[in-house]
Amino acid sequence: MPDSRSVPPDDTPGPSPARWLLRSTLHDPQCLPETLAAFAVRRFGPTAARSVARIEKDHPDMDAAGLRALVIAKGWRATVSEGAFVGGPFLIFVPVAFCAALLRQARTVLELAALKGGDPTADDRAAELLVLQGVHENVGQARDALAACHRKPAATGKRSALRRPAVLWYLTLRMARVLGLLTASEHTGWSHRLVQACRWVLLGLVFVVGIVAPLIWMPYMAMSYHQATTRLTDRATAFYFTDSAPVSRRRPHLDPSMIVGAARTLLSLLLPVVLVVATLLTGARIADSNWPVVGIVLFIASVAVGAVWHWRRHRHRHKKSGG
């Protein structure tokens, strides 16, 4: 479990929060949710408080439901961006993307708590986050789990942990469950099992296609992040605002940034299609077949787009830190 001295502040250069969290949890995947919750409160609690104060200042005439809708819509957009686009089009970066999405979901929950009047830097917010994520049944159990993980001795041997693919695979699946991307069915009927099986088949197909055309992975992940974040914010709304129904599906207006996000997702879906059609129209062949050329073009395009995205994020981060 990270303590307050080991969590880098927002304005310092160095590893991104997602990469820092991934390295920390690789040593003890069992404590992933607790490490995430404690890290999020210490790292993003003050930021959440400032963000809510700014929203309230900028919208003095907006009622409570409208403010909640703004916080939730902002969380939607940022989770898709921090998850689908931080990882870029490379499946190898999925664990980092998952960490980024988890942290942004956690910040949204902290902002909702602050909007209710709670202190987003308090330790109880970490326990509440674990309950909202479905990791523990109640706040008391969550507090006990946080304390148990905190008492564990600090792990060593970062390189050896990073070289264990099985640990990384287990951690990735655990993150997907905490994110809400993989959910257990509450029903046992054959129709519900069929739906679950179809979801797994779709995930497998997207994964296989994504190995050849990684850009296809991003629209699927963007949609999945949106659905998972909707479920989380609905639970958080019901938890913190017991007198109100969830407002996550009520959008007060069409935000231009939402249009930009949707356009990016649509572009990432259309670009592979355009490249395939253009390649087939040129008639380029390898071994009397168009498809090897199509595969090469899609791979090069994915590498180029991913490199540009990561370069832009790296430059933005250093500008923000003054480096």
Side-chain angles (χ1 to χ4, degrees):
M1 290 287 290
D3 56 41
S4 57
R5 294 169 299 178
S6 63
V7 177
D10 286 341
D11 57 353
T12 58
S16 68
R19 295 177 189 275
W20 192 96
L21 178 63
L22 178 61
R23 288 208 302 259
S24 300
T25 53
L26 274 170
H27 298 303
D28 191 0
Q30 293 291 340
C31 281
L32 162 70
E34 291 77 17
T35 301
L36 162 73
F39 178 87
V41 169
R42 294 190 176 103
R43 174 81 185 229
F44 297 114
T47 305
R50 292 193 297 268
S51 178
V52 168
R54 184 166 55 252
I55 290 175
E56 292 177 331
K57 179 180 178 181
D58 293 343
H59 303 85
D61 299 327
M62 186 170 288
D63 61 10
L67 292 173
R68 289 199 300 272
L70 284 178
V71 168
I72 290 169
K74 177 183 174 184
W76 275 341
R77 299 191 301 269
T79 299
V80 171
S81 175
E82 293 297 314
F85 299 112
V86 164
F90 304 114
L91 295 181
I92 194 173
F93 292 129
V94 163
V96 179
F98 279 3
C99 282
L102 279 166
L103 289 172
R104 195 54 186 81
Q105 281 187 347
R107 175 173 166 178
T108 301
V109 172
L110 293 175
E111 289 178 354
L112 287 172
L115 194 61
K116 178 61 176 177
D119 180 3
T121 65
D123 291 339
D124 277 351
R125 299 296 86 78
E128 293 164 0
L129 176 61
L130 292 171
V131 173
L132 293 172
Q133 290 173 329
V135 179
H136 298 288
E137 293 184 0
N138 55 63
V139 174
Q141 290 182 3
R143 288 197 192 102
D144 293 341
L146 285 164
C149 287
H150 184 71
R151 287 194 297 267
K152 286 188 176 181
T156 57
K158 177 179 70 175
R159 291 185 179 179
S160 62
L162 291 172
R163 291 173 182 172
R164 289 181 290 176
V167 175
L168 185 59
W169 174 249
Y170 170 81
L171 185 65
T172 302
L173 289 179
R174 192 96 196 275
M175 286 189 287
R177 293 189 181 278
V178 176
L179 265 171
L181 301 180
L182 297 178
T183 57
S185 176
E186 298 177 356
H187 305 277
T188 57
W190 68 269
S191 60
H192 298 286
R193 288 197 294 268
L194 179 61
V195 170
Q196 289 293 102
C198 290
R199 289 175 179 172
W200 279 99
V201 170
L202 176 60
L203 176 61
L205 288 175
V206 172
F207 186 87
V208 170
V209 175
I211 294 175
V212 178
L215 284 173
I216 294 177
W217 180 258
M218 290 194 302
Y220 176 84
M221 292 309 299
M223 177 186 68
S224 299
Y225 286 139
H226 185 277
Q227 293 174 345
T229 305
T230 294
R231 292 191 293 268
L232 177 65
T233 52
D234 280 350
R235 292 193 296 270
T237 300
F239 184 87
Y240 289 116
F241 305 91
T242 55
D243 57 339
S244 303
V247 298
S248 57
R249 293 180 179 83
R250 300 207 312 262
R251 300 178 187 178
H253 56 83
L254 190 60
D255 194 318
S257 60
M258 294 178 67
I259 300 176
V260 173
R264 288 178 178 176
T265 301
L266 182 61
L267 177 62
S268 68
L269 180 62
L270 292 179
L271 183 57
V273 176
V274 172
L275 290 174
V276 169
V277 172
T279 303
L280 292 176
L281 289 177
T282 62
R285 293 173 175 268
I286 294 179
D288 294 328
S289 176
N290 300 109
W291 298 110
V293 180
V294 170
I296 293 172
V297 169
L298 288 174
F299 179 79
I300 293 175
S302 297
V303 171
V305 173
V308 169
W309 276 336
H310 281 282
W311 173 75
R312 290 183 62 184
R313 285 192 58 80
H314 179 75
R315 185 180 65 172
H316 175 73
R317 177 171 173 78
H318 277 267
K319 282 185 177 180
K320 185 177 178 181
S321 62

